Amino acid sequence: MVLLNQLLKKLEWKGKIMTIHFTKVIEPNPIIVNALNRWENNPQLVPFIRPNKNKMELEQQLQITIEEFKNRLDTQHFYLIFSDDKLVGEMNYMVDPNHLHKRAPGTAWIGITIGEENGRGKGIGFKAIQHLEKEVKKQGLSRIELGVFEFNTRAYKLYQQLGYQEIARIADFTYWNDSMWSDIRMEKYLG
């Protein structure tokens, strides 16, 4: 696996210094694919990381292959998130995908998953999004759009803290907890 763009950051969490770094993925390997499959099928994460039309989709198990992940890398810039040298999540962006709400050329669509429970609630997501924004800006893009499900209030607040503005709500977008929920679309212009 070829790893690029390693960035070291330190966060203090309850008196303990954590070392955070991000690595761009160029070539997939079984370790990464196994982690993605574990997160993609974690019942606690599924409602937050993929839209589901009904209970059956919500409970469906999905398996990503190395070949499928390799194909993703053709359209996504994909980064691993490490805390104290342990893989805790991933983040990615794609440029001008069809699912943008506002079709402004030069827009990055971003996504992030803190897959490991020990990586959540420690400010890692905040630092990860800041890093992703720098990578997007380096590519010469000036706008970012994202979607967050309306029940994910913690992520919504994080994006607001980072300067993202709500631009739309797509009703009945995903199923969770016996209800249909909206997808909140947010944007940020990079200065």
Side-chain angles (χ1 to χ4, degrees):
M1 175 169 79
V2 178
L3 303 174
L4 296 174
N5 295 336
Q6 200 162 95
L7 176 67
L8 294 175
K9 299 205 180 218
K10 292 191 187 255
L11 286 174
E12 187 169 348
W13 176 252
K14 296 186 179 180
K16 181 182 180 255
I17 300 293
M18 295 181 301
T19 301
I20 309 301
H21 71 272
F22 313 104
T23 305
K24 185 167 185 175
V25 177
I26 305 300
E27 289 290 327
N29 71 38
I31 294 169
I32 299 169
V33 171
N34 287 339
L36 294 175
N37 281 320
R38 188 173 63 250
W39 302 334
E40 185 72 31
N41 293 296
N42 180 332
Q44 294 175 342
L45 289 177
V46 168
F48 297 93
I49 62 175
R50 69 176 191 231
N52 301 285
K53 294 178 183 151
N54 51 47
K55 185 176 181 179
M56 189 170 71
E57 270 193 22
L58 180 68
E59 294 171 350
Q60 183 178 14
Q61 298 282 299
L62 303 175
Q63 291 298 311
I64 301 164
T65 66
I66 287 183
E67 191 61 34
E68 287 169 335
F69 185 60
K70 189 174 184 175
N71 290 338
R72 274 192 198 179
L73 295 177
D74 291 338
T75 58
Q76 291 180 356
H77 300 264
F78 199 93
Y79 301 82
L80 300 177
I81 304 168
F82 292 88
S83 174
D84 294 330
D85 294 323
K86 293 180 183 143
L87 179 62
V88 297
E90 63 86 8
M91 59 187 169
N92 64 78
Y93 74 91
M94 55 181 79
V95 180
D96 296 335
N98 291 333
H99 57 268
L100 290 174
H101 177 74
K102 190 188 285 184
R103 299 204 189 265
T107 296
W109 174 270
I110 64 171
I112 180 173
T113 299
I114 305 297
E116 300 299 329
E117 190 171 345
N118 63 355
R120 294 183 214 131
K122 298 179 179 177
I124 294 170
F126 187 89
K127 291 290 185 191
I129 294 294
Q130 288 179 320
H131 177 73
L132 200 56
E133 288 175 356
K134 287 178 189 171
E135 293 300 313
V136 166
K137 193 171 181 179
K138 271 195 239 177
Q139 192 172 340
L141 305 172
S142 59
R143 181 178 177 271
I144 295 176
E145 186 174 317
L146 60 84
V148 60
F149 303 140
E150 72 177 304
F151 57 81
N152 193 352
T153 55
R154 200 165 152 190
Y156 183 80
K157 288 177 187 173
L158 169 68
Y159 296 130
Q160 283 184 316
Q161 286 176 335
L162 286 162
Y164 289 82
Q165 305 276 325
E166 184 175 329
I167 57 171
R169 287 187 182 231
I170 303 170
D172 298 325
F173 191 82
T174 192
Y175 175 89
W176 179 68
N177 205 17
D178 296 324
S179 295
M180 293 301 292
W181 299 82
S182 295
D183 189 36
I184 302 170
R185 296 299 175 93
M186 303 180 84
E187 72 177 354
K188 180 176 181 177
Y189 286 90
L190 303 174

